[in-house]
Amino acid sequence: MRALVIVISLVVSSAAIAQPKAEDESSVLVEEGRKDLREQDYRGAARALDQAIALNPRRVEAYVLRTAVHIVHKEYAEGIALMRRARALDPQNDDVLAMLGTVLYLADQRDEAVPILEGVATRAPSHYEAHAILGAYHSRTGEWSRAINDYETYLETRPSDLRGADPTYQVDLADAYLRDGQAAKASELFAVVLRARSTDVRARIGQAWAAAAIDCRTARVLLAKLKDLSAAHPEIGLVDGRCALALGATDDAIAAARRYLDAAPNLAAGHGLLGDALLAKNDVGGARAELERAREMEPASRRWSVKLAEAMRRGGDAAGAIAQLDRIGAPASPEQDRAWWRELALSLVAHGDHDAAVDRVGAVAAALSDPIVFTALGEAELARSRAAAAIAWLEQAMKAGGAPRTNALLARALELHGVEMIASGDVENAESELRLASAIPSAQPTVWRNLGVARLAAGHGADALAALERAVKATPDAITWMLLARARAAQGAAGPARDAYARAMSLAKGADATEVALDLAAFEMAAGDPAAAAAALEKIKTPDVRVKTALEAARHAAGLAALRGGAGGRAVQLLEAASKDATGDEARAVACDLALATVAAGDRDVALRRLKALGSAPCPFPAPADTQAVPILIALNEGLRPHGAAAALPRLAKLQRGSSGAARALLATATRVVALAAADEAYRAGSNAAAQKYLAAARAAETHAGADELAHNQAVLDIATGRLDAAIAALDHLGGRVPDSLVNLGIAYDKHGEPEKALDAWRRARKAGSKWAALNDWIAALERIYGGEP
C-alpha cells in the first residue's frame, strides 16, 4: 500500500516528459489520465492512457502513468511488459527505470528490480520512491546501514504532500537504527513518532525495545505499560523476558518465555529465550533441548545454531559445538555475525585446539574488535606457552572493555613472561612485567614470589624482601620460605634468615627438600659455618649429584675449619666422610688435608700411612709446600718414633734448601719437635751429651712459637749437669708458661740449697694445676719443716 501511495504521488505530480509538438492530442490524453489518477478514477485513467499510447506509441510518459494503473490493480505482469517497451524507447530515462524497478519489486522479481533501483538512486537521488523501496529491501535482508541510508534519503527528498506518511518511515528508520546497534538514535526517533502518533503500536513497542538495548531497568518499566498490547503482540513479553535475563532475573525470564510459548508454541523465539534462561541457570541439558527446537523451527536462523553451540560447549561437548558452528559456516563478513566467531573461539579453546583458535579466529579478530574473542585468543596463546603473544591479545581485550576472565589471564601472562625473562637474564624487564601482574587483583599468589626472585636477581634486596614477606603470607610453601630466607640473608639478617630456612626445611618434601637444603648449605658456607652446611645436606637422601657435590665440599670445608680450630679428631671424621665420594682434583685435595688432620690428631701410624699413600704428586698447598709439606710431615712422624730422630733430622735438614713461606715454618717446627723429642729420649736414657746435641739442633731451628719449650728443656739439662744458676734463671724467666717449668724451678732451688724458694715454686705449680705425681708429697715434706700454707 505504501508503494502504491508513493507511485501515485510520483506520477501525478511529475512534469510531462517532452514530446514532439505535432502530437498535441496524445498530450491532452496523458493529462486527462493524470487527472483521473489523482481523483482515483482508475478506469477512466486507463482508457485515456491507452488512447494516448495508441495515438503516440513513443510517448513514454503515458507508459509510466498506465503502469501506475496496473500497479493499483496488482496487474504486475502487464505493468512490467509495458515498462519494458518504454525502456526500449528510452533506455536511459530514470523515470522509466524507476517505474520498471518498482513494478518488478512488487512482482517479487527482486533480483532484477534492486540493481535497477540502486542505479536510479545513485544517478538521481531525488527519486525518493527508489529509496523507499530499497530501504524496505535492505531491512528485509538485514543490511541495516544501507537501509538507514535509504530511509534517511527518502525522508529528505520526498515531496511535501507525502509528509503525512513520515511517521511510518520514521518507525522503519528507527527500527533500522536499533538493529544496527544505534539504540540511542532509535529511541529518540521513536519518541518523535509518539509525539505525532501517541498510540502508534510499532513506535510504542520500538521505544521499549530501544530502551532494552540501553537500560533494561527502564525498558521493563516501559514494557509494563504495554500490557494492553500483550495479547496481540506476545513479543512484548518476549522482550521483557530478554531484559529480565539481562538483569539476572532468570526466573522472571523463564516465566516470560513460558507465557510466550503458551501464546505462540510454534515460534522459535520463545524456545530460544527459554533455552537462554535455562542456560543462565546452568540447566545445560534443558537449555540444549529448547535451543535445538528453536533451530529446527528456524533452520535458516544463525542465532539459534550459535546459541545451541554455546549450550553444547558448556555441557562439555566442545567438539560438537565446533561441528555445529562449522555446519552453518562463517558469515560473509566477520561483523555480520560476531556471536558465531565468539563462540568458535571459545569452543576451540575449550576443546584444546589452541593452534586452530589462533589461526582461524586470529585472522578476523581486528575486524571483530570483541573483548571475548581477544580474551579467548590470549588464553590460547597462554596454552601454547607464548606469553608475549597472549599479553598482546589480552591488552586489546582490556581496551575493548574486557571480559570476565581477561584480568586473571592477563595477570598470568605477565607473570609467565616475567619468569621467562628471569630465565633469560633480563631481570630488569622481568621485574617490570611482574610488578604489572602484581597490581592486578586477580593475579595468582605466586606472582609475589616471582617478583621477589626478579628483585633478588636485580640486586633490589629491600624490595625483594617486601615482596617475599607478602608471598609467604599468600603461599607459605617451602620454596617461598627459602626465597624469603635468601632475601633476609642478602640484607645481612643472618638470624631471621636461619629462622626462614628452618621453616622451609620443616615444610619441604621431595624435590623441594633438595632445593632448600642446597640453598641453606650455600648460605651457611657463605656465613663461614661449613659444618652447619654439611648437617643440612646430610638430612637429604637423594641421588641428586648436586647434593653429593655440595656435601663433599661442605665436609671438606668443615674439616679444614676443625683443623684450624685445633680439633684434629673432628677434622679427621669430616674429611674421611668427604673423601668417600670425592673424585678428580677434589679427591687429591681431600686426601692431602686428611693426612694433615691425622697428623694433628696424633694418630702417628695412620698419619704415616696416609702421608706415604699421597706419593710424590703435589698437594694443593701454596708452593713450595705443595711438594715439601708431605715429606716434612713424614720425617716428623718418623722422627717421633723411638730412635727415629737420628734418621729424620738429616732428612729435614736436606729439605731446608728451597723452602720458604709456610713450608719453611712447617720445616722449622718439625725439626724443633723432632730434636726436642730426641733430647728428651736421650735425657731419660741418661745420655746428657746426646740430649745437649739434640737441643742444639732444636735451638738452630727455633721459632718464636717454640722458644719457651726449648728454654725449658735446656734448663732441665742444666739441672742434670749441675748448672743450677743457669737453670734457675731460665726457669724463673718462663714464669710458668710451659707446663711443669715451676716444678723444675722448685727442684733447681732444692738442689741449690734454697728449700723455702723450692716450696714457693711448688705451691705455685700446684696452684697452676700441675699434675706432677710427687708434687704434693714434696710440698707436704717441706711444710712440716717450714710450716703450713702461708
Side-chain angles (χ1 to χ4, degrees):
M1 181 61 69
R2 276 191 278 159
L4 175 62
V5 171
I6 291 172
V7 168
I8 298 301
S9 175
L10 173 68
V11 297
V12 301
S13 61
S14 297
I17 300 172
Q19 300 293 326
K21 292 181 179 180
E23 299 173 358
D24 290 341
E25 188 176 351
S26 66
S27 299
V28 171
L29 289 168
V30 166
E31 288 306 315
E32 183 181 338
R34 191 189 306 278
K35 175 177 173 293
D36 289 340
L37 272 171
R38 187 180 299 115
E39 294 172 355
Q40 298 183 10
D41 179 3
Y42 301 124
R43 183 172 296 179
R47 185 171 50 252
L49 294 167
D50 285 341
Q51 292 176 9
I53 292 171
L55 285 172
N56 186 358
R58 298 189 61 81
R59 183 172 287 280
V60 294
E61 184 178 17
Y63 290 87
V64 171
L65 292 167
R66 183 65 179 90
T67 299
V69 177
H70 283 308
I71 289 174
V72 169
H73 294 129
K74 297 185 179 181
E75 298 167 348
Y76 302 131
E78 292 83 348
I80 291 169
L82 202 58
M83 290 315 301
R84 290 195 191 283
R85 289 172 57 191
R87 184 171 66 171
L89 293 171
D90 193 351
Q92 303 303 318
N93 189 311
D94 283 327
D95 290 332
V96 171
L97 291 171
M99 182 58 79
L100 175 59
T102 298
V103 71
L104 283 167
Y105 188 88
L106 292 172
D108 286 334
Q109 297 183 35
R110 294 186 175 90
D111 290 344
E112 183 180 0
V114 170
I116 292 172
L117 291 169
E118 286 178 338
V120 172
T122 299
R123 291 187 303 274
S126 60
H127 269 277
Y128 55 87
E129 81 284 8
H131 294 294
I133 295 171
L134 287 172
Y137 172 74
H138 289 134
S139 293
R140 180 180 183 137
T141 58
E143 297 174 274
W144 302 112
S145 60
R146 299 184 71 178
I148 289 168
N149 181 67
D150 291 326
Y151 284 132
E152 287 178 341
T153 305
Y154 166 78
L155 290 168
E156 290 170 1
T157 57
R158 57 104 183 92
S160 58
D161 59 345
L162 291 179
R163 183 182 296 114
D166 279 1
T168 302
Y169 288 95
Q170 286 170 334
V171 168
D172 289 338
L173 175 56
D175 184 62
Y177 281 145
L178 181 58
R179 295 175 185 274
D180 193 50
Q182 302 182 58
K185 292 182 73 171
S187 180
E188 292 174 3
L189 194 52
F190 282 128
V192 169
V193 173
L194 288 171
R195 284 195 290 272
R197 298 180 182 173
S198 61
T199 59
D200 189 298
V201 172
R202 288 188 65 206
R204 290 176 68 194
I205 295 174
Q207 187 183 49
W209 280 42
I214 300 170
D215 179 5
C216 268
R217 287 182 174 80
T218 301
R220 295 200 75 188
V221 173
L222 293 173
L223 289 163
K225 295 178 180 179
L226 299 178
K227 287 184 178 179
D228 58 317
L229 302 174
S230 295
H233 298 278
E235 67 271 17
I236 292 171
L238 189 71
V239 176
D240 186 53
R242 286 286 171 191
C243 265
L245 185 60
L247 292 172
T250 311
D251 291 336
D252 284 359
I254 291 172
R258 296 196 188 282
R259 286 193 298 272
Y260 181 83
L261 287 171
D262 288 342
N266 296 319
L267 292 182
H271 293 288
L273 172 59
L274 183 55
D276 282 351
L278 292 172
L279 197 58
K281 289 203 78 168
N282 289 318
D283 181 359
V284 177
R288 183 168 176 172
E290 291 298 327
L291 291 166
E292 282 178 341
R293 292 188 65 185
R295 184 195 59 179
E296 290 167 1
M297 291 174 178
E298 290 184 358
S301 173
R302 297 176 62 85
R303 177 182 184 183
W304 308 128
S305 292
V306 172
K307 292 300 295 185
L308 176 58
E310 180 185 352
M312 296 169 79
R313 168 179 59 81
R314 290 179 57 180
D317 185 11
I322 295 167
Q324 172 68 23
L325 294 167
D326 285 338
R327 191 174 296 120
I328 62 174
S333 59
E335 59 272 13
Q336 281 186 343
D337 194 350
R338 287 181 169 86
W340 186 91
W341 285 106
R342 183 185 301 131
E343 188 52 46
L344 179 65
L346 293 171
S347 295
L348 288 169
V349 171
H351 192 243
D353 199 348
H354 305 110
D355 292 341
V358 174
D359 292 343
R360 293 183 64 180
V361 185
V364 298
L368 294 169
S369 190
D370 185 275
I372 294 176
V373 169
F374 288 143
T375 300
L377 290 170
E379 185 172 1
E381 292 290 21
L382 266 178
R384 299 203 305 174
S385 298
R386 293 169 47 120
I391 291 169
W393 287 121
L394 293 166
E395 286 179 341
Q396 289 189 71
M398 294 296 289
K399 290 178 182 177
R405 301 186 65 233
T406 308
N407 274 341
L409 289 168
L410 179 57
R412 185 64 181 148
L414 288 167
E415 182 179 358
L416 289 179
H417 197 216
V419 171
E420 290 173 2
M421 289 177 167
I422 293 172
S424 68
D426 187 3
V427 293
E428 293 292 346
N429 284 320
E431 182 182 359
S432 176
E433 293 284 75
L434 290 163
R435 186 174 62 253
L436 289 174
S438 69
I440 298 174
S442 52
Q444 294 292 316
T446 53
V447 71
W448 294 105
R449 184 172 78 186
N450 288 320
L451 179 58
V453 171
R455 286 173 171 174
L456 275 175
H460 304 159
D463 291 338
L465 189 60
L468 291 166
E469 292 282 5
R470 185 164 180 175
V472 294
K473 293 178 181 177
T475 53
D477 55 57
I479 297 301
T480 307
W481 275 105
M482 179 194 78
L483 292 168
L484 176 59
R486 193 184 295 175
R488 287 175 175 177
Q491 293 299 101
R498 285 191 173 91
D499 292 341
Y501 275 123
R503 290 290 299 275
M505 288 291 285
S506 69
L507 294 169
K509 306 291 182 187
D512 284 354
T514 299
E515 299 304 323
V516 173
L518 286 168
D519 211 70
L520 172 56
F523 163 73
E524 294 292 8
M525 290 288 282
D529 192 350
L537 293 167
E538 285 167 352
K539 296 177 181 178
I540 305 302
K541 307 302 179 185
T542 175
D544 193 320
V545 69
R546 295 176 302 156
V547 173
K548 175 183 173 183
T549 302
L551 180 55
E552 174 190 314
R555 284 171 170 169
H556 189 178
L560 291 177
L563 185 58
R564 286 191 295 270
R570 177 59 178 158
V572 168
Q573 291 176 354
L574 290 165
L575 291 168
E576 282 179 339
S579 68
K580 291 179 181 177
D581 297 318
T583 58
D585 292 343
E586 180 64 16
R588 178 69 180 177
V590 173
C592 290
D593 290 331
L594 176 57
L596 289 181
T598 310
V599 171
D603 193 344
R604 196 169 299 146
D605 292 338
V606 176
L608 272 171
R609 185 175 71 250
R610 286 174 172 166
L611 288 165
K612 289 178 178 179
L614 293 173
S616 60
C619 281
F621 305 146
D626 57 342
T627 58
Q628 291 187 343
V630 171
I632 290 170
L633 291 172
I634 290 173
L636 169 64
N637 281 272
E638 289 183 339
L640 291 176
R641 287 177 167 180
H643 314 298
L649 286 172
R651 285 161 54 196
L652 291 169
K654 186 177 180 180
L655 288 169
Q656 288 183 2
R657 291 190 298 272
S659 67
S660 63
R664 178 176 289 278
L666 177 63
L667 184 59
T669 299
T671 301
R672 178 177 56 80
V673 170
V674 171
L676 285 173
D680 182 69
E681 185 180 11
Y683 172 73
R684 294 180 187 280
S687 180
N688 292 338
Q692 189 65 51
K693 182 184 70 170
Y694 286 126
L695 283 176
R699 191 176 297 108
E702 180 183 331
T703 62
H704 178 74
D708 286 347
E709 185 179 359
L710 185 60
H712 174 261
N713 291 343
Q714 181 61 58
V716 171
L717 277 176
D718 286 341
I719 293 172
T721 56
R723 299 177 67 241
L724 297 176
D725 290 335
I728 289 171
L731 293 167
D732 189 55
H733 179 73
L734 288 174
R737 291 194 300 274
V738 177
D740 295 331
S741 61
L742 291 172
V743 174
N744 288 319
L745 177 60
I747 293 172
Y749 276 129
D750 186 58
K751 286 181 177 290
H752 200 261
E754 300 180 78
E756 292 181 352
K757 289 184 177 181
L759 178 59
D760 178 66
W762 288 336
R763 283 173 173 168
R764 287 165 60 198
R766 183 171 63 184
K767 191 174 182 179
S770 174
K771 303 300 182 183
W772 190 262
L775 182 61
N776 286 332
D777 292 339
W778 294 348
I779 292 172
L782 288 179
E783 284 179 345
R784 284 195 295 271
I785 299 171
Y786 298 103
E789 194 77 33

